[in-house]
Amino acid sequence: MQTVALDIEAIRKEVEDQAYSVVRPAGLEQLCELARQDYFEALTRSELKPPRKSFSYPDLAKAPWRKLAISSTNGIGEPYAQFLQSTYFDQNQSPYQHLNKLFKFVIELRNKLMDVAVDFGDDPIRDGFWNACRVHHYPSGGGFMVMHKDTYFPVALGKYSFYQLLVPFSVKGRDFHTGGGVVIDRNGVKHNTDELGGLGSVLVYDGRTYHGVEDVDPDQIVSFDSQKGRMSLVSNPYCTVIPARIDV
């Protein structure tokens, strides 16, 4: 899977003009299906941790870190209420080859959009940032994230441009039925990202874009071990000196 066929400038312009861009690279849907199976394997093997139990990026080389993200605020105290679980991965961890490949693609595309080296974040000491590769899993039974703008990352990145890339990791109508990701365009129109792009797409937006996750299947009972729900894959550059409990 390569990013060479993607028009980086066209994606940037669409984000600028529309607030988001949806791209569907060839082969991405097949890779997502395989990477989902890696994630489900990790889901069964990983112990679920509480929201405020800290870890550091070297810990991920030992095993994925699966944690709850349930709070009226995010990990740095911003008032973004959320109800989900997040599983963090080392992008080079050998047991999950398909996830590794997908994370590598997302990181390379993100870095090209940021106009930095394609391996930015691979060396946390050199770069001052590490790639926080994770899957967000909003469970059926009410998983959500309140509508918000990303304010932390644009500031933390300093001189670097901020782009958020989100890969839908579930299918509305199969893995969940109501709610899901939403984004507000420059005209104030709300779009459901799980319907707009869906599995096999990448949603790109910046820090000015309002987005969130509306209540997922609130008619169901929550299970954090279930493979049902709304899922997405992301990889932000986290500042090396900031505790990894930040979950935004």
Side-chain angles (χ1 to χ4, degrees):
M1 192 105 183
Q2 297 181 342
T3 59
V4 292
L6 297 177
D7 189 332
I8 300 300
E9 285 303 323
I11 297 172
R12 289 187 184 128
K13 187 176 189 309
E14 195 165 29
V15 171
E16 177 67 28
D17 295 343
Q18 183 176 267
Y20 67 90
S21 178
V22 176
V23 295
R24 295 191 64 89
L28 183 61
E29 185 169 354
Q30 294 86 343
L31 179 58
C32 283
E33 289 284 12
L34 293 169
R36 275 166 50 92
Q37 297 309 308
D38 282 352
Y39 168 65
F40 292 146
E41 182 179 342
L43 190 67
T44 62
R45 292 185 174 187
S46 303
E47 176 190 0
L48 187 58
K49 310 290 197 309
R52 290 297 183 258
K53 186 168 184 178
S54 298
F55 68 99
S56 60
Y57 64 85
D59 295 328
L60 301 178
K62 304 171 188 174
W65 189 272
R66 179 181 166 221
K67 66 188 290 288
L68 292 172
I70 300 175
S71 180
S72 60
T73 62
N74 66 14
I76 53 175
E78 295 173 310
Y80 307 155
Q82 54 188 354
F83 183 89
L84 69 149
Q85 63 175 312
S86 297
T87 304
Y88 287 73
F89 293 86
D90 184 313
Q91 69 201 62
N92 300 309
Q93 194 172 8
S94 57
Y96 305 110
Q97 294 298 318
H98 302 296
L99 266 178
N100 295 350
K101 187 175 181 180
L102 185 53
F103 281 128
K104 182 178 180 181
F105 167 78
V106 170
I107 291 166
E108 183 175 324
L109 177 55
R110 180 203 73 198
N111 288 345
K112 285 187 175 183
L113 288 165
M114 290 174 59
D115 198 23
V116 296
V118 293
D119 64 348
F120 179 77
D122 286 358
D123 186 334
I125 304 303
R126 177 195 67 192
D127 300 325
F129 293 88
W130 60 281
N131 293 314
C133 297
R134 60 205 190 277
V135 174
H136 286 176
H137 191 158
Y138 299 83
S140 291
F144 77 94
M145 180 176 284
V146 74
M147 192 75 70
H148 66 284
K149 291 183 180 181
D150 288 318
T151 54
Y152 166 75
F153 289 114
V155 173
L157 284 168
K159 64 180 180 180
Y160 302 113
S161 300
F162 167 67
Y163 286 93
Q164 175 69 287
L165 278 67
L166 181 152
V167 178
F169 223 40
S170 49
V171 177
K172 190 171 184 179
R174 181 187 73 182
D175 303 305
F176 70 100
H177 296 279
T178 58
V182 289
V183 63
I184 307 296
D185 68 21
R186 297 280 186 246
N187 295 316
V189 178
K190 181 171 68 176
H191 304 271
N192 186 293
T193 59
D194 294 292
E195 299 170 2
L196 191 69
L199 194 72
S201 69
V202 182
L203 174 72
V204 183
Y205 59 88
D206 63 16
R208 296 172 296 164
T209 306
Y210 276 105
H211 62 283
V213 177
E214 296 183 334
D215 295 359
V216 175
D217 293 346
D219 59 333
Q220 302 296 309
I221 298 296
V222 170
S223 169
F224 288 105
D225 294 321
S226 173
Q227 295 182 2
K228 294 294 185 180
R230 189 263 183 181
M231 292 159 272
S232 60
L233 179 145
V234 293
S235 181
N236 299 94
Y238 276 13
C239 184
T240 302
V241 299
I242 299 297
R245 68 178 182 86
I246 294 173
D247 203 354
V248 289

